[in-house]
Amino acid sequence: MEDSKHSMPYSTEPVVLRSRHVPDVPEDVDFLMEHLNDPNLDLKKSYPPSMRSMSTDIQGKKIYAYDQSDYDAESQFDTDRPSSRHSTTIEFDDESPYPEVRAAVSSIDDPEMPVNTFRMWFIGLAATILVSGLNQLFSLRYPSVFVTGIVIQLITLPIGKLFERILPRRQFSTLGYVWSLNPGPFTIKEHVCITVMANVVVGGAYATDVVLTQRVFYHQQLSYGYQIMIVLSSQLIGYSIAGILRQFVVWPSSMIWPGALVNAALFNTLHRNYGKLDPGHMTRERFFLYALLASFLWYFVPGYLFTALSMFSWVCWIAPNNVVVNSLFGTNTGLGMGILTFDWSMISYIGSPLVTPWWSEMNTGVAFVIMFWIFTPILYCLWIPSSQISPSLFLFPVTNAFNSAHFPISSFQSWDNTGSPYDFSAVVNENAIFSPSLYSQYSPLFMSATLAVAYGCAFAAFPSVFVHTFLWFRKDIVKRFRNTLKDERDIHSRLMQAYAEVPMWWYGLLGAVCFILMCVGVEVFPTQLPAWAAFVGFLLAAILSIPLAMLMAITNQQVPTQVMHELIAGYMLPGRPIANVLFKTIAFIGTSQAISFAGDLKLGHYMKIPPRIMFSVQVVASLVSCFVVTGVQDWMLANIEDICSPQQKDGFMCPGTNVFATASLIWGGIGPQRMFGAGAPYNPLLWFFLIGAFLPIPFYILARRFPLSIWRYVNIPIFFAGLGAIPPASGINYMSWVLVGFLFNYVIRKYHFRWWMRYNYILSAALDAGVAIGVVVIFFCLQYPKGGIELNWWGNTIWQNNADANGIPFRPIPQGETVGPATWS
């Protein structure tokens, strides 16, 4: 019998065995499940060596995980192991498993390369002053555009090469330290440090919004010393948290940081090819210059000559007085369903679509359509008399939800019960303390429909971060607590062991100094914030930094947690609007700065910059920028007419600060109990907390059940948090951003990958730089001097003469009447 033959171990008869390519229980059977939490890793291609038996034969050729690695070999630095670039047996110890990292980052290092040089500090500090000053100017304008670190990265390379040629090479000796103004060729590491100094100041100083709110909306007189103390301490205190983040998001190879890869790719390609011809292709430098010039020249069209191309609400031009049409298709107080705009500053208002991964943009785009093009119009326009339905059957009241139909559907302003902008000074006393008696005599506060839904999305984003992080990253976090740098086995971590790490006491000392400075500021000056509350804010920032940094490292998206901080402070410090925004500033910017610091540490990790140099350049740049942004803001308040008002002719409406100030009154003045408590007008929005906590679970289950399906790309924190710019952003910003992202980061990346690797990030930087220069030239040369030169013609006025621009609501409040409750307290 055949079975008996098989049972005889030494039988000489031939035995026919079943052909088997994969063991019954493969060694790496859990590989897919373990890497489902990394959407940047293509699981359809990237398998470990022991799973390569699962690959298939196509026309007689064996296809393995890395045979078709999608990176541009021409942009890759030469390595001392040439076989690794095309090998089908790449070891994770020697190369990153991520094609994006292999394409952008060199696997060799020269520890003797000059980095801490005079020209690095000189150019870096000059860039710091320029970027922080210009971005502070742009931050108060809509549409705004920011000078990014990539712009400085491209501009400073020829400047560094010029310094290399003209500076004297004489050596000096200072306290035994020998140095020179020109130690030789301008190095890539010097260039990295200069760019990092610009990167850390790109976002400005968050605390300037606190100062602006106090001065403009609460009419407080503030000393320069108080401004500097608050701005300086809040901006630097988060850096102390970055010391803890290193083992979680800097050293692990799985934390790829797409933004850092953008910089790393440009550094390697620019320095490798600087001054050289690129046979068969236009050089990156020439492409950047052409694109920058084209962006600069074109911006004069939508930015000055034909502004209707920027606010391209063409449907509203056809029906300028139709309120429904203007509410849906308008770009000022509407939902922006027109989609198209020809202004890069509008497209990139929420960030460059050429940088963010497509799967992340997809999450944000789908979320925007559901929440603001479907859900918000239902809340706003659906009008069913309450006598005909039972409100208890609905999660949200369908009869004019939140009274929002009496106000523009989308606005960053808040309103009183007569339909006028809410007067902040009418409900606070001379010390900016909320007065219940004044409030009961004036009016409840009303929000636009989009602002209310945006608050709901922010509520959902907060719990979703913790649930998503627990489901997807709990094992990684535990592993990071147990492991050290020496346990990381990729080539970049091994190369970085040549440099001394920054001691933890450096981070601790920085945090202690900043906290003391913060306590002095809040206690000496009338901020309403006690020192113990400042400590709670810092502690909250430290707790949130790990999960939020991991999301940023993987998705290039930062989850906004401001609303949760406002909610906490609203209950902890009721009736104190200034204390509320200060608490939010400490907690939110502490986390944000820690993440930003860690991101630049990752760039230094990729580029092999000594960690102590990285620490120094980031701290010094931030210190200098605090003085710059404070000075620029003071100048703007003194010299720009009608600044921070909706009628400001040059666009300096301060939209972000308006929302910031509204939040101070909602959470710190009126308080969360009156706005969101039981029986309060906006109480139904609290259901979003439960929605945000629940939604990650089914998508996690689906991703585990179907590991190679689209479900693994669904990210609920990004789904909700990506909507944080609404309002003032609208569909014209979001959907044009998604469409451009789809074109470049999906279509072109998939079908023209070499072009994408060669030019995509450079194009993004050129477009940003061209528009930034255009904004400055137009404002200071054409609009600001002596009242400016205005072009009054159809192309510049058509978008201003309709119901959208005038903010006409769906159900206007008749003169002399009010909406909302008859009494409130």
Side-chain angles (χ1 to χ4, degrees):
M1 296 177 62
E2 186 177 358
D3 289 342
S4 64
K5 291 179 181 180
H6 286 184
S7 65
M8 297 171 61
Y10 300 106
S11 173
T12 59
E13 298 184 21
V15 178
V16 179
L17 299 177
R18 176 167 54 94
S19 176
R20 181 176 298 163
H21 294 288
V22 183
D24 288 334
V25 183
E27 178 184 348
D28 294 292
V29 70
D30 293 329
F31 179 80
L32 292 178
M33 296 298 104
E34 292 175 356
H35 290 80
L36 280 179
N37 62 1
D38 188 355
N40 293 303
L41 187 64
D42 189 351
L43 295 181
K44 295 181 180 180
K45 293 182 179 179
S46 302
Y47 298 107
S50 58
M51 291 186 69
R52 290 196 177 118
S53 57
M54 295 176 64
S55 41
T56 59
D57 288 309
I58 300 178
Q59 296 180 351
K61 180 183 177 182
K62 202 75 169 178
I63 303 299
Y64 294 102
Y66 294 98
D67 273 352
Q68 300 297 327
S69 178
D70 51 351
Y71 67 92
D72 182 4
E74 293 179 13
S75 68
Q76 177 83 355
F77 251 53
D78 294 331
T79 71
D80 54 356
R81 295 177 298 100
S83 61
S84 69
R85 293 175 58 185
H86 306 289
S87 174
T88 61
T89 57
I90 292 177
E91 297 181 2
F92 286 12
D93 288 1
D94 299 321
E95 288 285 0
S96 171
Y98 301 93
E100 290 88 348
V101 178
R102 298 198 305 275
V105 183
S106 172
S107 297
I108 59 175
D109 180 37
D110 177 10
E112 303 298 323
M113 184 180 293
V115 54
N116 190 23
T117 65
F118 165 81
R119 64 192 175 200
M120 180 273 286
W121 284 104
F122 182 86
I123 300 174
L125 288 173
T128 296
I129 295 171
L130 177 66
V131 170
S132 56
L134 288 177
N135 284 356
Q136 182 62 32
L137 178 73
F138 297 148
S139 68
L140 304 186
R141 184 180 183 271
Y142 178 79
S144 59
V145 64
F146 295 95
V147 180
T148 64
I150 297 178
V151 174
I152 297 301
Q153 177 181 2
L154 294 168
I155 292 176
T156 54
L157 177 57
I159 295 176
K161 293 295 184 180
L162 177 64
F163 276 39
E164 171 190 318
R165 296 180 60 184
I166 65 174
L167 287 180
R169 299 198 175 188
R170 177 185 172 186
Q171 291 187 336
F172 303 90
S173 179
T174 305
L175 300 177
Y177 177 74
V178 179
W179 60 281
S180 172
L181 295 176
N182 187 355
F186 181 68
T187 68
I188 191 172
K189 294 189 178 184
E190 291 176 282
H191 195 191
V192 171
C193 290
I194 293 169
T195 304
V196 165
M197 294 178 78
N199 273 338
V200 298
V201 303
V202 161
Y206 193 75
T208 56
D209 274 331
V210 177
V211 173
L212 201 57
T213 296
Q214 290 180 264
R215 295 182 62 175
V216 174
F217 296 92
Y218 292 101
H219 310 292
Q220 293 183 319
Q221 299 298 319
L222 305 175
S223 68
Y224 184 78
Y226 164 76
Q227 296 181 57
I228 285 295
M229 195 173 296
I230 294 298
V231 171
L232 196 63
S233 58
S234 63
Q235 198 68 8
L236 290 173
I237 197 169
Y239 287 172
S240 60
I241 304 173
I244 302 173
L245 291 182
R246 290 176 296 178
Q247 62 180 320
F248 294 95
V249 296
V250 177
W251 299 336
S253 59
S254 58
M255 301 291 110
I256 68 171
W257 290 89
L261 288 177
V262 173
N263 287 314
L266 283 176
F267 281 125
N268 284 334
T269 57
L270 290 176
H271 280 263
R272 181 188 181 193
N273 298 307
Y274 185 81
K276 299 179 182 179
L277 295 178
D278 192 2
H281 306 286
M282 183 185 297
T283 63
R284 274 98 168 165
E285 295 86 350
R286 180 174 296 181
F287 181 88
F288 174 77
L289 291 176
Y290 287 167
L292 183 147
L293 181 61
S295 176
F296 169 73
L297 294 176
W298 171 250
Y299 183 73
F300 277 81
V301 179
Y304 184 70
L305 300 174
F306 194 175
T307 54
L309 294 179
S310 177
M311 303 290 189
F312 196 60
S313 53
W314 60 276
V315 180
C316 300
W317 306 350
I318 300 173
N321 298 316
N322 188 307
V323 175
V324 174
V325 169
N326 280 260
S327 295
L328 297 178
F329 293 91
T331 57
N332 291 280
T333 58
L335 298 178
M337 288 187 178
I339 297 179
L340 296 178
T341 178
F342 298 90
D343 182 355
W344 178 253
S345 67
M346 294 290 284
I347 296 172
S348 62
Y349 182 72
I350 58 175
S352 173
L354 277 64
V355 173
T356 305
W358 161 241
W359 68 267
S360 181
E361 294 172 331
M362 178 180 62
N363 276 274
T364 301
V366 171
F368 178 84
V369 171
I370 293 174
M371 300 306 301
F372 290 97
W373 279 3
I374 298 176
F375 185 58
T376 299
I378 292 174
L379 293 182
Y380 184 75
C381 296
L382 187 59
W383 181 265
I384 302 176
S386 58
S387 60
Q388 299 179 14
I389 61 172
S390 173
S392 63
L393 297 176
F394 294 87
L395 181 61
F396 287 89
V398 295
T399 304
N400 188 13
F402 312 127
N403 286 296
S404 58
H406 298 294
F407 312 101
I409 190 171
S410 182
S411 175
F412 53 78
Q413 287 186 290
S414 54
W415 314 88
D416 63 23
N417 54 12
T418 67
S420 301
Y422 204 87
D423 184 2
F424 287 38
S425 61
V427 296
V428 297
N429 60 24
E430 62 277 5
N431 296 320
I433 300 294
F434 176 75
S435 171
S437 61
L438 293 176
Y439 173 69
S440 64
Q441 297 171 21
Y442 177 43
S443 167
L445 183 144
F446 297 92
M447 295 184 284
S448 67
T450 56
L451 185 57
V453 174
Y455 269 122
C457 292
F459 293 160
F462 189 77
S464 71
V465 169
F466 293 98
V467 176
H468 180 91
T469 302
F470 173 78
L471 293 174
W472 289 102
F473 300 108
R474 60 188 184 278
K475 294 181 180 179
D476 293 327
I477 293 176
V478 171
K479 180 181 178 183
R480 295 282 77 77
F481 271 115
R482 295 174 177 173
N483 292 355
T484 64
L485 175 62
K486 293 181 179 179
D487 295 318
E488 293 300 331
R489 303 183 62 188
D490 80 324
I491 183 63
H492 307 296
S493 293
R494 298 209 321 270
L495 289 174
M496 284 300 292
Q497 293 183 52
Y499 306 102
E501 264 296 339
V502 177
M504 275 300 300
W505 69 265
W506 286 25
Y507 291 98
L509 179 62
L510 178 63
V513 171
C514 290
F515 184 73
I516 292 172
L517 196 62
M518 172 65 71
C519 290
V520 172
V522 301
E523 291 289 352
V524 172
F525 297 93
T527 63
Q528 312 163 5
L529 182 73
W532 64 264
F535 175 76
V536 172
F538 176 70
L539 185 63
L540 189 59
I543 294 173
L544 291 176
S545 62
I546 293 176
L548 298 188
M550 295 183 76
L551 281 174
M552 184 68 177
I554 295 172
T555 69
N556 201 41
Q557 294 285 342
Q558 186 167 342
V559 176
T561 57
Q562 300 97 309
V563 172
M564 279 308 305
H565 301 320
E566 291 164 340
L567 177 63
I568 294 171
Y571 282 108
M572 192 168 63
L573 303 166
R576 305 181 188 183
I578 304 303
N580 189 283
V581 292
L582 275 170
F583 178 88
K584 174 181 68 172
T585 297
I586 297 170
F588 170 70
I589 205 60
T591 301
S592 179
Q593 287 295 88
I595 294 173
S596 175
F597 197 100
D600 284 323
L601 287 180
K602 187 67 175 187
L603 175 62
H605 186 83
Y606 283 148
M607 304 307 298
K608 317 304 179 294
I609 308 298
R612 298 188 179 191
I613 300 298
M614 286 293 294
F615 179 91
S616 301
V617 297
Q618 292 182 86
V619 171
V620 171
S622 295
L623 184 69
V624 171
S625 72
C626 290
F627 291 91
V628 174
V629 297
T630 302
V632 169
Q633 181 168 278
D634 284 349
W635 177 87
M636 295 178 71
L637 290 172
N639 292 277
I640 297 180
E641 184 180 359
D642 296 327
I643 190 171
C644 294
S645 69
Q647 295 77 31
Q648 213 289 323
K649 63 184 182 67
D650 299 318
F652 290 99
M653 301 179 292
C654 312
T657 307
N658 269 275
V659 175
F660 193 92
T662 298
S664 73
L665 193 60
I666 290 175
W667 301 102
I670 300 172
Q673 186 63 38
R674 293 185 179 91
M675 294 293 294
F676 301 97
Y682 295 96
N683 174 264
L685 292 175
L686 296 183
W687 282 97
F688 275 96
F689 281 107
L690 184 60
I691 293 172
F694 170 76
L695 273 186
I697 300 174
F699 291 108
Y700 172 76
I701 295 173
L702 286 170
R704 299 283 296 186
R705 177 65 181 83
F706 307 101
L708 298 182
S709 69
I710 196 174
W711 299 118
R712 66 183 289 258
Y713 295 101
V714 177
N715 188 304
I716 297 302
I718 300 304
F719 183 93
F720 286 113
L723 306 176
I726 304 170
S730 70
I732 201 170
N733 303 109
Y734 272 85
M735 297 315 295
S736 61
W737 178 78
V738 171
L739 288 175
V740 173
F742 173 75
L743 174 63
F744 281 90
N745 286 342
Y746 182 78
V747 176
I748 294 179
R749 189 183 190 278
K750 182 176 182 179
Y751 297 105
H752 304 281
F753 186 78
R754 291 182 178 275
W755 188 98
W756 184 87
M757 277 302 304
R758 187 175 292 111
Y759 298 127
N760 182 71
Y761 297 141
I762 295 177
L763 177 61
S764 174
L767 292 173
D768 288 342
V771 172
I773 297 171
V775 170
V776 172
V777 171
I778 290 173
F779 178 72
F780 285 104
C781 297
L782 299 174
Q783 294 176 335
Y784 180 71
K786 298 181 181 180
I789 303 173
E790 296 186 13
L791 300 179
N792 292 314
W793 73 288
W794 176 87
N796 284 347
T797 60
I798 183 65
W799 61 273
Q800 300 175 351
N801 300 322
N802 51 37
D804 168 52
N806 295 324
I808 305 299
F810 183 59
R811 297 181 60 84
I813 302 173
Q815 185 70 28
E817 296 186 16
T818 61
V819 297
T823 59
W824 58 92
S825 60

